[in-house]
């Protein structure tokens, strides 16, 4: 079954649509909260549902180390394991191997790396990364890629891009041969919603549905290599395409330039996923360029450091100026945190190292990101291209 | 206005009733979750409401240090500060000064102690402890007492008990002179529920209601000194009486003996509060002896260490035996954790140091304690004294 992206409205390069996955229908453009270890840190799953999260992300590298793919597979995959009935996407592990392992060793076959937990040695290949992701059972999984470091010279960028292309072909081959091994059928209590979605997608049962494997465009910071990577990945053929290898230390203008030029080469009828970005302003901008899916640790990680995103700009809640501030964190936000608690209370929780600080801060930041993306969708539907950004934000950005 | 404890049914020494406080009507016997720093660690206030918590406890010592009484007072007291519309009780600070300060110096006037945070020097007297607790604005506050160490000889126990009695008289005097300074009137948005309760209690507005000051019985592990302490405290006259100075290292049988003998001397028509106990089995037992109110850090602290209370006994969720256990934590529990997550998932969260482990474990343990107390109430109503304990627990306790 092909993965269906139904584009409902376009506005300039931006588009609003619906993506039907085995476990959930996703309204795009969509922001995907990061749940590295099968948990969006500090936030219970029912709260994520209330926030309107339609798809969350798990990290294959982390889950492979803890609790291990076999455990998750036996529990019916991530959906059963973490009791999350909506959609999930897993990354390939390539980025974490790149970012968490100084001593990794890359060969044509794959990557040897050491666990950041205990130093034990492990090996990821396109085949083993597919095997892990099939066992984890996300709705959307990613081809195994090499994330090119920044800066890199052109020769290195080309070699890395070509390796990623060869790995993409091997990822697809292994996936096609093993895609029926996804453990959804093992799940004892299949969520009704997911079963219904599977039926809508033409699968008699969820157990007969399969995952969708996305290709990843690499090519470093070179527009021509990015074009070539896009064409080669499209030639292999995937139901969706991601832009990887950005947010690795390059200036933001360069990120935008590469995103914009790469998008030109991606098919309009397939979902486009920009990996690992960005600030609230950036996710609005990338949606305006035609990106459908984004993920980023920023809202959750910043929350843990007391940095909160609001309609009036960033708030560092640890500051003493908020110690007796009776106002809500964001007067324009309707989330359960802003409805109930004062800045003074949030400041106290953070200053006192109370765990509730992380819980409430994360809920608010995720709410802000998800609300922002909902406003982007609405703005696209309005069809007023020139006012795209200003209609998303209540006031001009600084 | 007197504090009204309406006793609805008795069963042997046990009694079930209702305690009307300015902010909430409390069904007794009641278990009070501990929210040391104006937060029950890791649990949002709306979740506490869903769990059915009717009254929570704050620690004056900790709140005095962070965020400081003045800040809480300016926010309308703890209710406004932490956005908790139901009842709150604060302790006097005496126990924390005792348990967190090796270098405290006790005189007739009060206690000099050092902050466990920064070593700064502070002084608590009956008067300043009242001032702090009036500023914090809990519904029920506690007389400033000295918690006698264990073991202690009889002379020391007597001297300490007599000091507590003199401090109780000073506490009451200061409270009576300053009780109208409670900051509820300052609160910008008084919860409707609280305003209604105040009206039921005969106060035209919540701002005209006052707190209730409880006396504390001390006397170490000596039954005769406990009796004398009870009589002297009752002579001073309080709307409720607490038994303090237990769970300080003495054997459990001795705790029970002292509780049972002390209760005989407390007036039947006033609420009886046993401070700082205990296990699920113990709170059932003490309720059966006629205790109306209890608090303990055990459910919340144990949760943070992966120790969970269930109808089938204690579960140490960190154990590898649960790594692939698909069952709920407690098959007889209907809490949001047991309804949704498996033991395998909870074990993974704990083993991976995920913050959600603390959140979910705490929710379950509190649910178990609050459910246990609800079953105790129900059991008292059944009027079957001989089957009191066995009707609370689904199976005999080990």
């Amino acid at each position: 079954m092909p993965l269906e992206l139904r584009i409902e409205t376009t506005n300039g390069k931006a588009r609003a649509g619906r993506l039907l996955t085995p476990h959930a229908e996703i309204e795009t453009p969509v922001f995907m909260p990061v749940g590295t270890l099968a948990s969006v840190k500090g936030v219970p799953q029912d709260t994520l549902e209330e926030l309107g999260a339609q798809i969350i992300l798990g990290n294959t590298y982390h889950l492979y180390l803890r609790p291990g793919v076999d455990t998750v597979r036996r529990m019916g995959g991530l959906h059963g394991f973490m009791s999350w009935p909506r959609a999930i996407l897993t990354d390939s592990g390539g980025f974490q191997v790149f970012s968490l392992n100084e001593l990794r060793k890359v060969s044509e076959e794959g990557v040897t790396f050491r666990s950041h937990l205990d130093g034990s040695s492990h090996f990821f290949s396109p085949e083993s990364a597919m095997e892990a992701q099939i066992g984890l059972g996300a709705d959307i999984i990613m081809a195994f890629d090499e994330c090119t470091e920044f800066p890199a010279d052109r020769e290195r960028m080309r070699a890395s891009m070509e390796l990623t292309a060869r790995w993409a072909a091997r990822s697809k081959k292994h996936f096609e041969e093993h895609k029926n091994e996804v453990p959804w059928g093992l799940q004892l209590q299949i969520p009704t919603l997911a079963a219904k979605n599977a039926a809508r997608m033409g699968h008699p049962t969820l157990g007969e549905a399969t995952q969708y494997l996305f290709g990843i465009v690499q090519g470093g910071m070179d527009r021509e290599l990015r074009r070539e990577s896009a064409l080669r990945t499209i030639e292999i053929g995937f139901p969706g395409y991601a832009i990887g290898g950005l947010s690795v230390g390059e200036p933001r203008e360069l990120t935008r330039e590469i995103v914009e030029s790469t998008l030109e080469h991606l098919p309009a009828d397939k979902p486009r996923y920009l990996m690992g970005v960005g600030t609230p302003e950036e996710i609005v901008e990338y949606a305006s360029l035609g990106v459908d899916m984004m993920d980023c640790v920023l809202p959750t990680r910043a929350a843990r450091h007391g940095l909160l995103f609001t309609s009036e700009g960033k708030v560092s809640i640890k500051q003493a100026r908020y110690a007796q501030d009776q106002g809500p964190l964001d007067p324009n936000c309707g989330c359960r945190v802003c409805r109930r608690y004062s800045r003074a209370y949030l400041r106290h929780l953070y200053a006192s190292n109370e765990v509730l600080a992380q819980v409430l801060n994360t809920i608010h930041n995720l709410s802000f990101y998800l609300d922002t993306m909902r406003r982007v969708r609405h703005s696209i539907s309005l069809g007023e291209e020139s006012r795209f950004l200003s209609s998303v934000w209540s006031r001009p950005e600084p």
Side-chain angles (χ1 to χ4, degrees), chain A:
Chain A
M1 299 285 161
L3 179 66
E4 187 192 350
L5 172 67
R6 199 178 335 133
I7 294 173
E8 296 177 333
T9 47
T10 58
N11 183 339
K13 293 176 179 175
R15 63 254 200 102
R18 290 174 185 274
L19 186 66
L20 190 58
T21 72
H23 284 83
E25 185 177 87
I26 299 160
E27 296 176 314
T28 61
V30 67
F31 179 78
M32 306 183 285
V34 177
T36 297
L37 275 161
S39 166
V40 175
K41 295 188 188 307
V43 185
Q45 273 71 311
D46 52 357
T47 303
L48 288 175
E49 287 175 353
E50 284 170 29
L51 288 172
Q54 300 175 326
I55 175 170
I56 61 174
L57 191 142
N59 289 126
T60 297
Y61 167 88
H62 291 281
L63 291 163
Y64 160 88
L65 293 175
R66 284 189 307 196
V69 174
D70 187 55
T71 290
V72 177
R73 170 189 283 282
R74 284 168 190 256
M75 308 297 289
L78 280 172
H79 293 89
F81 180 59
M82 66 182 290
S83 188
W84 175 252
R86 300 184 184 175
I88 302 177
L89 181 149
T90 48
D91 62 8
S92 70
F95 182 75
Q96 263 79 27
V97 167
F98 163 83
S99 61
L100 294 174
N101 285 272
E102 294 287 316
L103 301 171
R104 70 191 178 282
K105 200 179 150 205
V106 182
S107 69
E108 182 65 30
E109 188 53 27
V111 187
T112 303
F113 61 95
R114 291 192 178 282
S115 160
H116 71 289
L117 297 172
D118 61 8
S120 56
S121 184
H122 300 268
F123 180 72
F124 270 176
S125 66
E127 292 76 18
S128 70
M130 290 307 103
E131 191 184 335
Q133 287 187 86
I134 291 169
L136 295 175
D139 296 84
I140 297 172
I141 68 176
M142 304 303 297
F144 190 63
D145 62 329
E146 187 189 41
C147 183
T148 317
E149 67 280 5
F150 176 84
D153 64 29
R154 195 154 196 278
E155 196 174 348
R156 163 68 190 137
M157 288 192 285
R158 166 165 287 284
S160 177
M161 180 275 281
E162 291 183 343
L163 181 66
T164 286
R166 292 191 297 274
W167 284 359
R170 283 168 57 189
S171 293
K172 182 178 178 183
K173 181 169 185 293
H174 189 92
F175 174 72
E176 290 297 334
E177 289 166 2
H178 297 273
K179 65 184 178 185
N180 292 318
E181 296 165 16
V182 69
W184 296 337
L186 299 178
Q187 199 171 334
L188 295 182
Q189 291 185 301
I190 293 167
T192 313
L193 180 68
K196 275 188 191 158
N197 258 329
R200 284 173 63 196
M201 296 180 76
H203 307 290
T205 68
L206 182 60
E208 297 188 24
T210 58
Q211 301 169 285
Y212 291 95
L213 172 64
F214 279 23
I216 303 179
V217 175
Q218 290 284 353
M221 302 303 157
D222 186 294
R223 293 170 61 143
E224 185 50 39
L225 289 177
R226 285 276 172 179
R227 190 185 74 91
E228 191 177 333
S229 178
L231 298 180
R232 290 176 70 162
T233 313
I234 293 164
E235 198 181 334
I236 298 166
F238 293 94
Y241 297 94
I243 303 176
L246 295 177
S247 282
V248 288
E250 79 281 7
R252 289 296 156 94
E253 314 83 67
L254 187 52
T255 317
R256 187 202 143 104
E257 185 192 314
I258 296 295
V259 169
E260 192 165 14
S261 73
T262 305
L263 284 169
E264 288 174 15
H265 308 297
L266 297 182
D269 62 340
K270 295 276 194 292
R272 303 152 166 180
Y273 165 26
L274 178 56
M275 305 179 83
V277 291
T279 64
E281 294 80 4
E282 286 165 354
I283 66 171
V284 173
E285 185 176 13
Y286 293 130
S288 79
L289 295 176
V291 170
D292 305 304
M293 304 162 67
M294 282 171 264
D295 77 283
C296 192
V297 294
L298 186 57
T300 41
R301 183 174 292 165
R304 298 198 292 278
H305 294 96
L307 188 67
L308 300 167
F309 298 100
T310 80
S311 64
E312 299 178 337
K314 280 181 272 190
V315 169
S316 176
I317 201 65
K318 69 186 76 174
Q319 292 176 6
R321 59 194 283 206
Y322 301 121
Q324 298 188 355
D325 186 337
Q326 299 216 24
L329 175 55
D330 184 347
N332 300 312
C333 177
C335 84
R336 61 202 288 172
V337 178
C338 291
R339 281 202 311 268
R340 181 153 197 164
Y341 305 103
S342 65
R343 291 178 167 195
Y345 183 61
L346 295 175
R347 194 263 172 182
H348 161 67
L349 292 178
Y350 189 86
S352 303
N353 286 315
E354 283 291 311
V355 166
L356 192 58
Q358 169 171 344
V359 174
L360 298 182
N361 290 350
T362 304
I363 290 172
H364 168 79
N365 271 359
L366 282 180
S367 176
F368 186 77
Y369 265 67
L370 294 165
D371 272 353
T372 297
M373 216 48 129
R374 278 188 283 267
R375 279 201 291 275
V376 167
R377 259 183 73 81
H378 183 66
S379 172
I380 294 171
S381 322
L382 288 180
E384 295 166 345
E385 185 181 356
S386 63
R387 288 170 54 198
F388 188 88
L389 289 176
S390 62
S391 65
V392 170
W393 299 97
S394 54
R395 62 177 191 83
E397 282 307 298

